[in-house]
Amino acid sequence: MSIETAAQRKATILAEALPYIQRFHGKTIVIKYGGNAMTEEALKLQFARDVVLLKLVGINPVVVHGGGPQIGDFLKRVGKQSEFVQGMRVTDRETMDIVEMVLGGLVNKEIVSLINQQGGRAVGLSGKDGGFIRARRLKVKGSAGDSEWLDIGQVGEVERIDPEIVSLLDSRDFIPVIAPIGEGSDGEAYNINADLVAGNLAQTLKAEKLVLLTNTQGVLDKRGNLLTGLTAAEVQGLIADGTIYGGMLPKIDCALRAVCNGVSTAHIIDGRVPHALLLEVLTDAGVGTLIKGG
Amino acid sequence: MSIETAAQRKATILAEALPYIQRFHGKTIVIKYGGNAMTEEALKLQFARDVVLLKLVGINPVVVHGGGPQIGDFLKRVGKQSEFVQGMRVTDRETMDIVEMVLGGLVNKEIVSLINQQGGRAVGLSGKDGGFIRARRLKVKGSAGDSEWLDIGQVGEVERIDPEIVSLLDSRDFIPVIAPIGEGSDGEAYNINADLVAGNLAQTLKAEKLVLLTNTQGVLDKRGNLLTGLTAAEVQGLIADGTIYGGMLPKIDCALRAVCNGVSTAHIIDGRVPHALLLEVLTDAGVGTLIKGG
Amino acid sequence: MSIETAAQRKATILAEALPYIQRFHGKTIVIKYGGNAMTEEALKLQFARDVVLLKLVGINPVVVHGGGPQIGDFLKRVGKQSEFVQGMRVTDRETMDIVEMVLGGLVNKEIVSLINQQGGRAVGLSGKDGGFIRARRLKVKGSAGDSEWLDIGQVGEVERIDPEIVSLLDSRDFIPVIAPIGEGSDGEAYNINADLVAGNLAQTLKAEKLVLLTNTQGVLDKRGNLLTGLTAAEVQGLIADGTIYGGMLPKIDCALRAVCNGVSTAHIIDGRVPHALLLEVLTDAGVGTLIKGG
Amino acid sequence: MSIETAAQRKATILAEALPYIQRFHGKTIVIKYGGNAMTEEALKLQFARDVVLLKLVGINPVVVHGGGPQIGDFLKRVGKQSEFVQGMRVTDRETMDIVEMVLGGLVNKEIVSLINQQGGRAVGLSGKDGGFIRARRLKVKGSAGDSEWLDIGQVGEVERIDPEIVSLLDSRDFIPVIAPIGEGSDGEAYNINADLVAGNLAQTLKAEKLVLLTNTQGVLDKRGNLLTGLTAAEVQGLIADGTIYGGMLPKIDCALRAVCNGVSTAHIIDGRVPHALLLEVLTDAGVGTLIKGG
Amino acid sequence: MSIETAAQRKATILAEALPYIQRFHGKTIVIKYGGNAMTEEALKLQFARDVVLLKLVGINPVVVHGGGPQIGDFLKRVGKQSEFVQGMRVTDRETMDIVEMVLGGLVNKEIVSLINQQGGRAVGLSGKDGGFIRARRLKVKGSAGDSEWLDIGQVGEVERIDPEIVSLLDSRDFIPVIAPIGEGSDGEAYNINADLVAGNLAQTLKAEKLVLLTNTQGVLDKRGNLLTGLTAAEVQGLIADGTIYGGMLPKIDCALRAVCNGVSTAHIIDGRVPHALLLEVLTDAGVGTLIKGG
Amino acid sequence: MSIETAAQRKATILAEALPYIQRFHGKTIVIKYGGNAMTEEALKLQFARDVVLLKLVGINPVVVHGGGPQIGDFLKRVGKQSEFVQGMRVTDRETMDIVEMVLGGLVNKEIVSLINQQGGRAVGLSGKDGGFIRARRLKVKGSAGDSEWLDIGQVGEVERIDPEIVSLLDSRDFIPVIAPIGEGSDGEAYNINADLVAGNLAQTLKAEKLVLLTNTQGVLDKRGNLLTGLTAAEVQGLIADGTIYGGMLPKIDCALRAVCNGVSTAHIIDGRVPHALLLEVLTDAGVGTLIKGG
């Protein structure tokens, strides 16, 4: 293939991004960042470039990250045993300190630095900053089905999000990168599931898209084939008939709530694919499952 | 090639545009639009999309168009003979009316409409609008080398450009599309060479780039090979030794003046290549000759 | 008369303009400019000065011009026969090109230049600029009264006006001068009656006044006397009893729609009177017929 | 004369004001208001209308008023004897209270109200407001020529003007009306000559014009003929040869300082002429003496 | 007591002001200033400092002052007899001039100067300035209970307040100081009760607090004990049973109307207490009676 | 003491803060927060209130915190031995991770939360956020005096500070709280001395004051008495004669550089005194040593 032709192919592909940039220009996209995309070097780099590119072409990315594995590693290192209840880590105050240190001090700043290295200007936030994520203790029912509540410590849910600090950064050249930690009215820190924070934030910011980067292909049907587009109603059917189950359930729940509360579309995409974010937003190549309201 | 892989190639190409978008973000690029790129349907469409895409990714394109062939066609149609002196059309007042009608009424609005169809918001201007291109009669020496001045009518040169109306449109979502007509202090209209207007405008707007779309590959050396990058000094050498001559001379002169007056780079590119503009600005694939100061 | 006294008379007259300037300060006035006021040199000059003066004293004039006679002349010149249906020129695509050239390239720029010569800063626009006049094909019923539609080509009506570009110019020192050409959703150009465009624009801009410059004294009663002030209801009576008929009907219709849609008053005035516009806006000397709602 | 023709004459006169409005648009004009123009009912009304009209056509009038006669009347009424030294009223603290009451409470508010009645929005200020006129005690030499200083009490001169409050009002719809009272660094009030305040203010505001309304025709030559235009140099000659003398001297001195410190022109005009201000600013009919620098 | 300890006490007291500053930050407080606080030197100085301090900590004070005693003194001095009807001074035009002079020229400027001496930037206004207090003649019924109206001259009530000039000053560093004079639609001046003006202004500005400085402790119960907090309902009970009577009635009426029209709280406080204003706003030490709606 | 009198004392003390608030209004104060003030509960609470109060009264506090002891504790806990060279911790990459976790994740967010609990809106930043602290590796000479450089790992010094993100937060209601971590051009994290960061930031922000909270009384003379005020010259004398030595030297050096680079005053104050910050800024009770330029 001659150089000329390769160049023209490039140009054609760039030009094909035009309608997508037009559609999402000036809009906000909340991205839950986690899984392999957050641990494999090449994927990390590509993710950072994708985020910077979106910002430059006039789309406002807001990144919410997880960090469960990193927390687990560090707890092990300091010789702290982790106990889990219904998939959630029982989080005493000492564990919560470790959570804040790992998420806010290490993971968050690594992502910030990665984006900065690509020419972006990321600013890391925890929900304590400007008190913007107000949290409350998550109430968990015992599995025995009786009315007793389990105490799993500083695990929280979102009570209210004050979008001012995020919007302020958004409206400038800055890219907000958010650690999913909330602050109770009493000043206590709470560890919140990152999908939940991303979903809530997408609703509060009236985002165009909620994108959940996962280590799966997306939502699969019973024969294991990818379902590329689903309505809220179809999703509920798939939950009812057991097609969607297990670890996908909480993610699908965040997605559903978002599209039922003003977010145009939610996406459960495969973060293991290089440039998954860019493909999802700027091309017609779907890399997972799109969910829309109605 | 699997679909997945094609998608990833797309993503890679998009990601490769990142450093170019970063470099030119918020900058102004003045484009002289003419030649085949203005007459072939496919090229016209691609040009319009390129302009809209540049605007969307935060770069401010300003288009200056020519229209010599269209003027010639129309003059023929109304049975008006054209006389040329040193390559310039002798332009009596009646001819000037035709020039204004064809450039300002037809060609300009066709480009405006083309860009609008691609989702842009172009606004056509002639130099009379807001009186922004102040012109004076071009003085042409007789070829005999004597001191006599030839009268070629309403052919003008730029006296002064008031950038306010262009900057105003630029700072909003609008894309200025400019017909190279100037207004004398006495209110008379003057036909000005479009390359000249583009070069002057690039200087006044402190543009990052001046891009001249031509029907040539660019500047060629004596053996007909493309010279992809030249300094101002090298250009002067090539003029001196006759490598650059004829119709390329006035274009190269505009380019030189621009880079000597604050424009970072000037480009003489091949408008016959699809998406030539996009290739020039957003990729490492040169499609012509770059000229820089120093 | 002594110099002193003449001076004082001047001062008195200037002072008498005060309540009119106060009433219309910061308001927009849409003026349909046409007829003799657009062809006689002295009247043209006076019109341009009037427009500049209104702008300076804080009133925002928006000029919409016609150009039927100029189009006709030019069509004749290029040997193109004009056919009329119900008073409208059948406009094939070739004719439409001529319309755009004459209106947008020649007439519009001449008015722009005229205003600039008086110290104003006019900017010419066609409805294609920024795509601000969205048009659709005018549907014309055959005269036979049957249900058949006549094809008269690129003759359009206003579908929607996007006031942004006009308001932007208006809010600065610029005076918009508009050629009545609209753009279809398919990018096609349409020739629209200038009265219609002026009326629609006045409504969209929530103008204070719509002023139609004509070659008549205004609306006359059956005995040929000028009716200086009419309510919408009275106008409808005069249409019903045949006092208003013929060429006045479409003008009166534009005026009626405007005052029924938020424009305070519409004026059909005699453009043959020197400074007719100034007299209408800044003095108590009516020069035509005022129509108001209710 | 037919009505039509009278109307047209009006229009012509209005149109003739265009170049003046253009020249002074957005400029500030400081007017010392006093003498008959401040006491005769018809002149007062005309002055108020003139000020409102100037504001409306985009010129910013700032009014500084005197009030010597009114102060004298009131002092007489409260049985307080006035003593004068070199034409200045010896002003003890009790007298100063009366000065503030008459100037700030009565005269100032009467002018404010007069302007408001004509549709303007005047705001009265004394130099104490926002502390904007910082004054110091005027030092007066004894007439004996010895080095002794006379104590004439609370008579002051301008030390410094802080233009913020005046500019703030100016930049909105408000018309500042200023009583010539200054505040010392110790909070004491000082009575300052209104011509001096007007002159200083014109310099500080970088005004286009300083207009002093007087009860004279202007500066006269030795034979009593009006001198309509003078340069600073010519003025100095006329002072040297005794043509300008007496009460005109301090006025001419204010005018000179103003034109030597950035004010374009100073005008000593005849406030007894109806609409003197309007004639001066908006017509070619001079009503007094113009002084310019150089 | 050691210096250290005294210093710490200071710090503690400053720190205790925090919640009050937080609560009232960015809010407007309208203060009726009168009585001893306006005549005793030490109290005047403290009042001025309090006002400046409030402004600096982000609260916007608006001062409305009275001046009855000063008017009375001056009338006596010019030998003008005062007649009172139902506690209101019969105000002929000559008296009204004196009122304007004393309130607007003397008292207002003294307060302005006092605040400026403490580092504030006060600007004095009468209701004539910008025509911001539109007044109408107060109608007073004869005491005989018959339908006859008494003529007490230029005594007015508030018809409408245009908050623009006050808000403009408020939004900058300026502190408005207002003389309670209104302007009729005919340009006539009216003397209005200062409590009334303060109450009306508080409503128009949607103030947080209306503070009436008086020469009483506040509202007392039948045994002479201070009532520190009252609801609107309780106030009405106390009026009904005669606990509140006489001179307190009009004050209490202003307070009631204010809290029923959007002002959070009204305060009748003891202006004889040093720093009464500061104590009321920034500490938990009440110095009078608080009235709130509901 | 009666309640009344206690209240009045409060008011007096509040009023005494006026000149200090006036002087520092709108100014920025950079505070190095550390030592006991950061570990004792009562002092922490008072510090947080002081910061919130300063913000509310219009002064912009910027907090830079240390955290050496907390880092040491945590390193011990994870069984990591600390080695020190010339008082600086040798910081390998693993240690640097711990530094970032403890400073950015734990200490920073605890201060943020503390300020939020007092009603402020603190936002925590590390120098990585927005890449605002660009750092480079600190070069340390071996003690042997030879030319060999010691490698102490990720210990850095400030290369450049980009004030945009801090100024953005500052200009709104937010209080920046900064962990002294810098980012190298290669994306590496560096631990920087907090005094250094505070000093540099004060210079970049053109702060009014640099306040270093310490666990000492301030600078003492040879007999152990506090020196309350020193010029830069005096400080240099005290260094020369050995009065200032040891751990005070780097602090005094930061202070000196700040006052020599545009910061008005630097303060080394006793953070063990309750409300030390408030005392320093808003009262005349010095609590340490003031250093000024010249």
Side-chain angles (χ1 to χ4, degrees), chain A residues 112-165:
Chain A
V112 161
S113 189
L114 205 61
I115 292 175
N116 291 352
Q117 286 299 306
Q118 297 309 315
R121 295 212 294 168
V123 171
L125 295 174
S126 111
K128 282 183 168 177
D129 289 311
F132 91 97
I133 304 177
R134 171 57 58 94
R136 63 177 159 239
R137 191 175 291 269
L138 185 69
K139 293 197 156 182
V140 184
K141 271 232 166 125
S143 52
D146 50 16
S147 64
E148 168 208 22
W149 295 102
L150 298 181
D151 181 6
I152 56 170
Q154 301 305 107
V155 178
E157 61 182 354
V158 175
E159 189 177 304
R160 184 168 38 78
I161 286 183
D162 173 355
E164 189 179 340
I165 181 71

Side-chain angles (χ1 to χ4, degrees), chain B residues 74 103 195 231 258 289 293:
Chain B
F74 204 83
L103 287 190
D195 293 328
T231 63
T289 303

Side-chain angles (χ1 to χ4, degrees), chain F residues 33 38 63 65 107-116 177:
Chain F
Y33 177 49
M38 212 168 99
V63 178
H65 63 83
V107 174
N108 185 276
K109 296 312 172 200
E110 192 195 338
I111 301 169
V112 162
S113 189
L114 204 61
I115 292 175
N116 291 351
V177 174

Side-chain angles (χ1 to χ4, degrees), chain D residues 74 77-78 80 94 96-98 100-102 104-106 108-110 112-114 116-117 121-126 128-132 162 164-165 168-169 171-174 183-188, chain E residues 74 77-78 80 94 96-98 100-102 104-106 108-110 112-114 116-117 121-126 128-132 162 164-165 168-169 171-174 183-188:
Chain D
F74 203 83
R77 179 155 168 211
V78 300
K80 179 108 193 156
E94 195 188 13
M96 189 62 220
D97 277 0
I98 300 291
E100 284 198 76
M101 288 168 74
V102 173
L106 209 61
N108 184 275
K109 297 313 171 197
E110 194 196 337
V112 162
S113 188
L114 205 60
N116 291 351
Q117 286 298 307
R121 295 211 293 168
V123 171
L125 295 174
S126 112
K128 283 184 168 178
D129 290 310
F132 92 98
D162 172 354
E164 188 178 341
I165 180 71
L168 177 62
L169 297 173
S171 69
R172 306 289 177 116
D173 284 346
F174 299 108
E183 189 174 37
S185 59
D186 51 358
E188 290 247 25
Chain E
F74 203 84
R77 180 156 168 210
V78 299
K80 178 105 194 160
E94 195 188 13
M96 190 61 221
D97 276 0
I98 301 290
E100 284 199 76
M101 289 169 73
V102 173
L106 209 62
N108 184 275
K109 296 313 172 198
E110 193 196 337
V112 162
S113 189
L114 204 61
N116 291 352
Q117 286 298 307
R121 295 212 293 168
V123 171
L125 295 174
S126 111
K128 282 183 169 177
D129 290 310
F132 91 98
D162 172 355
E164 188 178 340
I165 180 71
L168 178 62
L169 296 173
S171 69
R172 306 291 175 115
D173 284 347
F174 299 108
E183 189 174 38
S185 59
D186 51 358
E188 291 247 25

Side-chain angles (χ1 to χ4, degrees), chain A residues 74 77-78 80 94 96-98 100-102 104-106 108-110 112-114 116-117 121-126 128-131 162 164-165 168-169 172-174 183-188, chain F residues 74 77-78 80 94 96-98 100-102 104-106 108-110 112-114 116-117 121-126 128-131 162 164-165 168-169 172-174 183-188:
Chain A
F74 203 83
R77 181 156 168 210
V78 300
K80 179 108 194 156
E94 194 188 14
M96 190 62 221
D97 277 359
I98 301 290
E100 283 199 77
M101 289 168 73
V102 173
L106 210 61
N108 185 276
K109 296 312 171 197
E110 192 195 338
V112 161
S113 189
L114 205 61
N116 291 352
Q117 286 299 306
R121 295 212 294 168
V123 171
L125 295 174
S126 111
K128 282 183 168 177
D129 289 311
D162 173 355
E164 189 179 340
I165 181 71
L168 178 62
L169 297 173
R172 305 289 177 116
D173 284 347
F174 299 108
E183 190 173 38
S185 58
D186 51 359
E188 292 246 24
Chain F
F74 202 83
R77 181 155 167 210
V78 299
K80 179 109 193 155
E94 195 188 14
M96 190 62 220
D97 276 1
I98 300 291
E100 283 199 77
M101 289 168 73
V102 172
L106 209 60
N108 185 276
K109 296 312 172 200
E110 192 195 338
V112 162
S113 189
L114 204 61
N116 291 351
Q117 286 298 306
R121 295 212 291 169
V123 171
L125 296 174
S126 111
K128 283 184 168 176
D129 290 310
D162 172 354
E164 188 178 341
I165 180 71
L168 178 62
L169 296 173
R172 306 289 177 116
D173 284 347
F174 299 109
E183 189 173 36
S185 59
D186 51 357
E188 291 246 24

Side-chain angles (χ1 to χ4, degrees), chain F residues 145-191:
Chain F
D146 49 16
S147 65
E148 165 207 25
W149 296 102
L150 299 180
D151 180 6
I152 56 168
Q154 301 305 108
V155 178
E157 59 182 355
V158 174
E159 188 176 307
R160 183 168 40 77
I161 286 182
D162 172 354
E164 188 178 341
I165 180 71
V166 176
S167 298
L168 178 62
L169 296 173
D170 231 29
S171 69
R172 306 289 177 116
D173 284 347
F174 299 109
I175 298 167
V177 174
I178 297 164
I181 292 163
E183 189 173 36
S185 59
D186 51 357
E188 291 246 24
Y190 289 96
N191 187 11

